[in-house]
Amino acid sequence: MDDRWIWWSLAWRNLWRNRRRTFITASALAFGYLASVTMIGLWSGMLTEMIETGTNLVTGQLQIHAPDYYPERSMYTTLGGRDGIDVDELVRIARETPGIVAASPRVYGGGLVSSGSETVAGMFVGVDPDREVEVTRLLETPAEGRAPRAGEREILIGRDMADLLDVELGAEVVLVAPASDGSLGNDLYRVSGIFATGMAGLDRSFGILPIRSLQELMAMPEDRIHEVAAAVEDPFAAPALGDSLAAALSARGLGYPVLPRPWTVFRAELAEYASLAGAVNGIVVGIVFVMAVFGVANTMLLGTFERRREFAVIRALGTRPGSVALTVVYEGLILGILALAAGALISWPVLYWLHNYPPDLSNMFGDFTMSGTVVRPVLRAEYSLDGPIVSGIALLITSILSALYPAYRAVKILPADALADI
Amino acid sequence: MLHLPGAPVNLARLGARSGCPISLALLAALVAPLSAHAQSPRKIIDQVDRLMRGEASIARFTMDIRTENWDRSLMLRAWSLGTEHALIRVETPQKEAGTATLRANQEVWNYLPRVDRTIKVPSSMMMGSWMGSHFTNDDLVKESRLVEDYEIEIAFEGERDGADVWEFVLVPLPEAPVVWGKIRYEVRKADLMPTWARYYDESDELIRTMTFSEVRLMGSRLVPTVVTLESADKPGETTVVRYHELDFDVDLDEDYFSLRNLRRER
């Protein structure tokens, strides 16, 4: 046998000298791996849930505006400026960008909503009902009634606004908004639905209309819109997708500039929270495996002491101290690889279960709001490459680290002393 | 009420007897003989203020609004009674004819003929633009009691651009419910006509300038018939109010300023 392999072979055999001990040690590492992978999975599941609920209700994960639309959000700062744009073309190009799932045009306005003697300030969003449902949950299942239909003078308002105005489903409300020609746009709209998101700001002041109706109210032509909102496959890819979309648009020679705005910009607090969560993952992995290091080192130290004479003999026969150390480290590494295989085997079904059949703790806790986002307490794990890879590397490093001290002790054994006991 | 001539903050007054130009008119007509030398600025204003109350006016004026995005011109008719009541109705453009704003009982109501509804302007919209102009709803509703809300001092007295003028500086009293941090006001000594007013915010930044010009006899009083409002943050944008008719000799009572009357087109 090749000289090099003899130390691996020795390490392998040593592992099976005390099977129960090896099994228990490997189990500790495997469960450490399971814990680490599961926690990362749950964390990123919660994050994804937060980002999704934080963005798929109103904003989408990626928005496209005229470059100077923010921060003023002037009604006049439409995509393509005064000339307007081919809205369908822009939406189509956005949808064709790989990674973007859906896109929908929007117009924004502000004004008053009035019924009887009650009047409240409102923020109006004009949407294309057919496309909007693919991007956000805005129009999905209102608490009462239904979403406004394209071509109708209908509006979907929040529960709080409905209460303030004292209106029911089907009631007529007056909308007043400054129009783009300087006049005071005003018209009657029927309340087609009432939504209740649980977010005070939305429920109190949002009014959702078919895009054309809002454009008419504000004396805006059909080709002038403020925004295209898009849903993306992987929320963390949104910033890059925005850039590639902007590049695609300028490559098409559309002749007007756009500024992509991913959720990491307009929901910066969510993005910060996500990166904080990344750091927390690191700490969790660290803690799990530091604990494992001591356990594994302890067992291996025991094994080393048991074999003191063996080591003494091979040293006496002329083996270099480095080779003795290597065999101990190899032993640790093999143990780590076995544990990793076992860990992966037990982690997979657990992750699969948490991903597909997540325990719903809503009964115990109810929904809660975090950074302005409603979060459901559902323990749903998200698959990711990071979790298993980071945990796996951490496990192998752990197994090597825990072998270092035992290896050092093995090298330090003096053949004369150890053999004297015989 | 009045404040310095030119209650610039008060749109209602722009067209009204109690309106700025009118206050000026009053100043000219009534105060001048008192000789400002003998009186503190505060006293003069206070006196005019009391004289102004309860008087009524009817005016017809145009409002030319120029913004970065559009220009438009409105012909308006306004009725006012004291500082509490005002009614302004759009006569042209035809599309908006009949649109009206009523100020009564500290509230502002709009009538929208297109939908035949009256709506109350909520307090959150008070700083919003009135009919797309550079005036705010607040300008319309606010009873700017300059005398009560501001400390008034003479900042400059002497010749400027060939005319003998005062420049007053008005600083709000600590508890005064006003939106301005400071107002500067220039008044011509000869006829007590205001020439301009500048409005500053709390950090002493100029927000808007109102200029008075074309002093003429109207409704048997001497008034500046053109008032130009410019926002400091939107250079080039202006709202110009031009009086065409002004009548002080009218008989109006509070009942006139009702929601029912607001709805009545023309």
Side-chain angles (χ1 to χ4, degrees):
Chain A
M1 186 186 279
D2 189 332
D3 207 28
R4 217 177 324 147
W5 291 108
I6 194 148
W7 304 112
W8 283 105
S9 164
L10 267 181
W12 175 256
R13 280 189 219 156
N14 273 329
L15 268 181
W16 303 112
R17 180 194 298 261
N18 188 334
R19 287 173 188 223
R20 184 183 305 161
R21 187 166 67 206
T22 300
F23 177 75
I24 291 173
T25 317
S27 300
L29 280 172
F31 278 98
Y33 179 81
L34 170 69
S36 163
V37 167
T38 312
M39 284 177 97
I40 291 176
L42 287 175
W43 253 113
S44 70
M46 223 161 103
L47 265 186
T48 309
E49 161 102 10
M50 265 186 78
I51 292 165
E52 271 174 11
T53 53
T55 56
N56 74 3
L57 182 58
V58 182
T59 55
Q61 287 99 48
L62 179 64
Q63 301 174 346
I64 305 153
H65 307 111
D68 47 352
Y69 183 60
Y70 275 90
E72 276 193 41
R73 302 191 69 181
S74 154
M75 136 176 59
Y76 307 103
T77 318
T78 50
L79 281 157
R82 273 161 217 273
D83 302 332
I85 56 164
D86 183 339
V87 176
D88 290 333
E89 184 186 29
L90 177 59
V91 169
R92 201 184 59 241
I93 296 174
R95 294 180 63 134
E96 281 168 3
T97 306
I100 291 181
V101 182
S104 174
R106 289 164 167 197
V107 168
Y108 290 97
L112 300 176
V113 187
S114 174
S115 171
S117 60
E118 302 297 331
T119 302
V120 296
M123 162 96 181
F124 306 137
V125 191
V127 300
D128 176 338
D130 300 329
R131 288 162 167 160
E132 191 61 39
V133 289
E134 299 170 350
V135 177
T136 63
R137 291 188 288 118
L138 208 56
L139 302 179
E140 209 175 84
T141 57
E144 286 178 47
R146 55 164 177 79
R149 291 202 180 114
E152 303 282 335
R153 280 218 298 275
E154 294 181 330
I155 184 169
L156 177 69
I157 60 174
R159 163 62 48 214
D160 295 351
M161 182 186 278
D163 290 346
L164 284 169
L165 292 173
D166 197 18
V167 294
E168 305 275 332
L169 212 57
E172 265 191 336
V173 292
V174 182
L175 259 53
V176 183
S180 63
D181 60 358
S183 66
L184 198 61
N186 59 90
D187 221 326
L188 289 170
Y189 291 80
R190 212 176 64 78
V191 177
S192 73
I194 294 171
F195 62 82
T197 61
M199 277 181 273
L202 287 183
D203 291 354
R204 195 190 158 88
S205 58
F206 260 54
I208 300 150
L209 295 77
I211 190 165
R212 196 62 206 116
S213 300
L214 184 58
Q215 284 171 326
E216 276 165 11
L217 178 70
M218 293 166 60
M220 288 171 71
E222 217 166 329
D223 56 3
R224 293 189 71 175
I225 59 167
H226 294 124
E227 174 180 292
V228 169
V232 303
E233 246 164 60
D234 172 12
F236 293 97
L241 277 174
D243 293 340
S244 65
L245 176 56
L249 289 173
S250 75
R252 290 279 196 110
L254 288 193
Y256 55 88
V258 300
L259 188 67
R261 211 161 176 266
W263 65 272
T264 46
V265 173
F266 57 77
R267 291 303 302 271
E269 78 288 353
L270 274 183
E272 270 164 35
Y273 194 79
S275 57
L276 173 75
V280 171
N281 278 345
I283 292 171
V284 168
V285 174
I287 291 175
V288 167
F289 286 106
V290 164
M291 278 160 57
V293 162
F294 292 104
V296 177
N298 181 39
T299 325
M300 293 197 60
L301 207 52
L302 220 61
T304 317
F305 272 113
E306 270 174 15
R307 290 184 280 146
R308 287 174 77 230
R309 292 196 193 96
E310 226 175 278
F311 287 126
V313 171
I314 58 174
R315 285 293 306 280
L317 291 175
T319 309
R320 278 175 291 118
S323 303
V324 171
L326 261 188
T327 187
V328 178
V329 172
Y330 285 165
E331 193 182 326
L333 191 56
I334 294 171
L335 183 71
I337 291 167
L338 288 176
L340 180 56
L345 272 178
I346 53 174
S347 299
W348 175 247
V350 171
L351 267 188
Y352 179 84
W353 171 66
L354 283 174
H355 182 78
N356 294 294
Y357 310 99
D360 188 342
L361 306 184
S362 304
N363 294 337
M364 282 192 259
F365 299 108
D367 293 356
F368 57 96
T369 312
M370 204 162 171
S371 319
T373 297
V374 178
V375 180
R376 285 179 311 144
V378 171
L379 293 181
R380 181 172 175 277
E382 193 60 42
Y383 295 133
S384 71
L385 269 183
D386 293 9
I389 290 180
V390 169
S391 305
I393 291 173
L395 187 150
L396 293 180
I397 291 175
T398 302
S399 60
I400 293 172
L401 277 183
S402 35
L404 287 182
Y405 183 65
Y408 170 77
R409 297 297 306 210
V411 168
K412 280 290 163 191
I413 294 168
L414 295 174
D417 289 355
L419 294 174
D421 293 344
I422 295 178
Chain B
M1 86 159 294
L2 162 312
H3 37 325
L4 278 191
V9 226
N10 191 323
L11 182 65
R13 277 184 194 144
L14 278 176
R17 200 284 163 43
S18 48
C20 354
I22 301 116
S23 358
L24 305 184
L26 275 190
L27 266 179
L30 304 164
V31 182
L34 293 175
S35 159
H37 298 291
Q39 304 278 334
S40 72
R42 200 180 158 72
K43 242 192 174 147
I44 300 170
I45 288 155
D46 191 38
Q47 204 161 10
V48 177
D49 194 14
R50 276 186 280 115
L51 285 168
M52 291 293 302
R53 289 180 183 283
E55 295 199 40
S57 75
I58 299 179
R60 172 173 275 132
F61 58 97
T62 47
M63 188 178 264
D64 293 311
I65 308 163
R66 165 165 297 182
T67 73
E68 195 190 335
N69 296 289
W70 44 263
D71 296 343
R72 68 197 217 112
S73 181
L74 297 168
M75 171 68 84
L76 301 147
R77 197 164 168 79
W79 294 257
S80 86
L81 178 66
T83 57
E84 305 284 335
H85 299 87
L87 176 60
I88 305 175
R89 184 165 286 149
V90 177
E91 296 197 323
T92 60
Q94 200 56 41
K95 195 180 136 222
E96 288 161 74
T99 305
T101 299
L102 172 73
R103 187 226 150 156
N105 307 320
Q106 313 277 357
E107 291 173 347
V108 176
W109 293 78
N110 281 332
Y111 172 65
L112 305 164
R114 179 182 158 82
V115 294
D116 190 27
R117 293 283 199 287
T118 51
I119 66 167
K120 188 180 154 191
V121 179
S123 51
S124 59
M125 297 303 279
M126 278 304 166
M127 293 314 286
S129 148
W130 184 78
M131 294 278 165
S133 73
H134 295 90
F135 289 99
T136 64
N137 288 306
D138 187 65
D139 286 337
L140 208 66
V141 75
K142 191 130 187 120
E143 273 187 79
S144 348
R145 299 178 178 276
L146 291 197
V147 204
E148 281 177 20
D149 292 340
Y150 291 87
E151 189 84 52
I152 305 167
E153 278 173 20
I154 296 176
F156 173 85
E157 188 172 357
E159 203 173 297
R160 211 181 249 174
D161 298 329
D164 207 11
V165 299
W166 287 295
E167 184 184 320
F168 296 109
V169 61
L170 288 73
V171 179
L173 296 168
E175 301 294 316
V178 297
V179 295
W180 307 112
K182 188 172 77 180
I183 305 175
R184 288 182 173 277
Y185 223 106
E186 193 186 80
V187 177
R188 231 153 49 192
K189 279 189 178 178
D191 49 6
L192 285 176
M193 285 292 121
T195 47
W196 52 253
R198 292 180 187 149
Y199 296 80
Y200 298 82
D201 66 7
E202 269 100 36
S203 42
D204 217 16
E205 200 160 321
L206 181 66
I207 301 299
R208 62 187 200 179
T209 303
M210 196 173 291
T211 319
F212 307 91
S213 54
E214 306 202 17
V215 175
R216 256 190 238 136
L217 204 59
M218 201 174 264
S220 73
R221 292 200 177 129
L222 199 61
V223 291
T225 57
V226 176
V227 181
T228 305
L229 182 62
E230 289 167 283
S231 295
D233 62 337
K234 291 175 195 147
E237 295 204 355
T238 56
T239 295
V240 181
V241 172
R242 236 178 230 104
Y243 286 89
H244 302 295
E245 287 169 31
L246 201 48
D247 194 352
F248 298 105
D249 188 21
V250 291
D251 185 22
L252 291 173
D253 62 19
E254 290 187 11
D255 295 345
Y256 187 83
F257 300 90
S258 64
L259 286 177
R260 197 161 47 87
N261 243 347
L262 172 68
R263 297 175 78 114
R264 201 176 62 192
E265 297 186 39
R266 258 158 262 243

